[in-house]
Amino acid sequence: MQTSVAIIGAGPAGLLLGHILAQAGVPFVILERSSREHVLGRIRAGVLEQGSVDIVASLGLDANLRERGLEHGGIHLQYEGERRHVDFRELVGRTVTVYGQQALVTDMLAEHERLGSDIVFDASDVSPRGTDGADPVVGYTRDGIRHELHSDFVVGADGYHGICRPSLPSRSLTTYERSYPFAWLGILADVAPSTDDLIYALHPDGFAMHSMRSRRVSRLYLQVEPDASIDDWSDERIWDGLQTRLGVDGWTLEQGPITEKSITPMRSFVTSTLSSGRLFLVGDAGHIVPPTGAKGLNSAIADVALLGRALLEQRAGDDAPLASYSDQALARQWQVQHFSQWMTEMLHVHHEVPDAAARAFRYRSQVGQLEYVTGSQHAMASLAEQYAGLPF
């Protein structure tokens, strides 16, 4: 087989890049190791920055997003029993939209199927080679038959555990990592959200967050220890923790049946390059952020927007954007990493600090930080600008 761009991974990054190429008439093939059903069943968060919504709309993929997405003009920051609103519209004239990643993937895959895009599911033993030369080849097995896909470029949209990043030459690769001393216990509950905008709460017991998946489904989180077991958290214990950490006078957290619960460790990861020869990385294949700043999906979309444009300009005869893709994408990513780390450290209780006095000092300093952020127009504008999204 021969194509222009071989995309490894049919998550949101790979599917979105396929649509950018399809709109420009550029041939591509998407290889996905999982089944179609598995791809559609993966549950992920879905807070879309203004720029991400604009990209999806520019490709004509926003019909369901406009109908079902929940637009938010800000967030609530809560501490010491008080809840304060950061108004993005007023501060920077931008918004975010809650729309589950699973729904976005469903929309993009349906449109690919309508277009007749070449997407290969259940592709095992995927192995890119020759990416430093002029004729990259991606081998894969399907239904017991070995195939080879020749292409001009290979794009790794296959996530942190994928094959593409390990395929980069080790001599050109340095990784930067940080693990955080806390995790998130997340639930989906069949109950209408109890809030208009997302709530981020600092409480002596730990961080809590109230988000939503739709007008009838709530998404909520509790800070737990990294080694916590989901078996130790009954539904009753979860709701008690959420009621305590999110509670304020005059407000009620409505409860409902919990349909899903899981524990997610928190870490940061960035690789030193997103390209080598004709192989390019996008999204989680090259970087991961803690979820506090809602940047994971948006970072992938930003990479794809930049790489897609560069690939089209290369076909038009300009190689410079493709040559600078990694530097430009990583420059933006490090700003995103800083914001995510800042939000994470400001809003989580540092139970790992062994000395009680030092722990209390740190907590009080976080309260002071939140008082400054919510009391300063400049600080709130900085938060709003970064949360609603840096330019692509």
Side-chain angles (χ1 to χ4, degrees):
M1 294 177 62
Q2 181 75 41
T3 193
S4 291
V5 183
I7 302 171
I8 302 176
L15 293 173
L16 184 64
L17 180 58
H19 278 297
I20 292 173
L21 298 174
Q23 194 171 83
V26 179
F28 65 92
V29 176
I30 300 177
L31 302 175
E32 167 59 47
R33 64 182 176 182
S34 301
S35 67
R36 180 183 184 279
E37 292 70 27
H38 181 80
V39 168
L40 290 173
R42 288 188 289 221
I43 305 294
R44 298 288 188 275
V47 177
L48 296 175
E49 299 172 356
Q50 181 76 62
S52 297
V53 172
D54 293 343
I55 288 289
V56 172
S58 73
L59 296 167
L61 300 168
D62 63 330
N64 289 331
L65 190 156
R66 282 186 281 107
E67 180 182 346
R68 303 171 192 167
L70 304 178
E71 187 178 55
H72 292 272
I75 60 172
H76 297 284
L77 292 178
Q78 181 176 316
Y79 56 95
E80 301 292 276
E82 298 289 335
R83 188 175 297 164
R84 304 173 191 273
H85 191 245
V86 181
D87 192 322
F88 297 168
R89 285 193 184 94
E90 179 182 296
L91 291 160
V92 296
R94 294 166 72 78
T95 63
V96 297
T97 300
V98 173
Y99 191 64
Q101 179 174 314
Q102 182 184 19
L104 185 62
V105 166
T106 299
D107 295 344
M108 290 194 290
L109 187 54
E111 180 61 10
H112 272 302
E113 291 173 345
R114 188 190 72 80
L115 294 171
S117 300
D118 198 345
I119 303 177
V120 180
F121 292 101
D122 297 305
S124 62
D125 300 321
V126 177
S127 57
R129 66 181 190 274
T131 54
D132 282 337
D135 182 30
V137 180
V138 182
Y140 67 96
T141 300
R142 177 96 195 283
D143 296 330
I145 301 172
R146 191 67 180 168
H147 303 268
E148 288 197 341
L149 175 62
H150 295 256
S151 63
D152 299 321
F153 301 100
V154 178
V155 176
D158 52 345
Y160 178 79
H161 297 290
I163 190 61
C164 289
R165 188 180 66 258
S167 299
L168 294 174
S170 58
R171 66 181 182 279
S172 65
L173 199 64
T174 301
T175 56
Y176 307 93
E177 298 186 67
R178 179 185 176 185
S179 294
Y180 293 85
F182 21 74
W184 275 13
L185 189 160
I187 66 166
L188 280 175
D190 282 342
V191 60
S194 304
T195 180
D196 52 351
D197 286 333
L198 282 69
I199 304 169
Y200 288 79
L202 172 68
H203 185 275
D205 290 352
F207 168 80
M209 180 180 178
H210 189 331
S211 183
M212 60 283 295
R213 181 56 53 80
S214 70
R215 292 175 180 86
R216 295 184 297 274
V217 177
S218 295
R219 183 73 159 151
L220 301 110
Y221 298 94
L222 285 170
Q223 175 187 342
V224 297
E225 297 299 314
D227 59 354
S229 170
I230 198 69
D231 295 333
D232 295 331
W233 286 85
S234 65
D235 292 5
E236 181 180 8
R237 184 184 179 190
I238 291 171
W239 284 118
D240 285 347
L242 289 167
Q243 293 285 1
T244 297
R245 299 185 198 184
L246 290 170
V248 293
D249 291 341
W251 177 80
T252 301
L253 173 63
E254 300 294 341
Q255 299 183 189
I258 295 176
T259 59
E260 177 192 310
K261 54 184 175 181
S262 60
I263 293 178
T264 304
M266 301 180 68
R267 61 197 178 96
S268 297
F269 168 86
V270 186
T271 189
S272 59
T273 183
L274 298 177
S275 67
S276 177
R278 291 174 175 259
L279 174 61
F280 300 87
L281 305 180
V282 293
D284 287 358
H287 45 72
I288 293 173
V289 292
T292 323
K295 294 301 172 205
L297 175 57
N298 293 292
S299 291
I301 292 174
D303 286 352
V304 168
L306 189 61
L307 180 60
R309 187 184 313 132
L311 287 168
L312 299 185
E313 291 180 2
Q314 191 276 339
R315 287 179 68 85
D318 185 358
D319 292 333
L322 205 52
S324 64
Y325 160 71
S326 179
D327 289 342
Q328 290 189 37
L330 285 174
R332 186 184 191 281
Q333 176 57 207
W334 279 114
Q335 294 178 58
V336 168
Q337 288 285 345
H338 173 265
F339 175 70
S340 300
Q341 177 180 266
W342 174 73
M343 287 280 287
T344 300
E345 298 211 332
M346 178 172 65
L347 288 161
H348 288 77
V349 176
H350 294 263
H351 297 298
E352 81 283 0
V353 177
D355 180 71
R359 230 175 17 250
F361 182 92
R362 182 148 192 174
Y363 182 83
R364 296 313 311 172
S365 71
Q366 290 170 249
V367 171
Q369 188 176 20
L370 282 162
E371 288 178 337
Y372 168 70
V373 168
T374 56
S376 164
Q377 286 290 112
H378 297 294
M380 284 193 293
S382 176
L383 187 157
E385 178 184 46
Q386 295 177 85
Y387 196 104
L390 299 172
F392 284 3

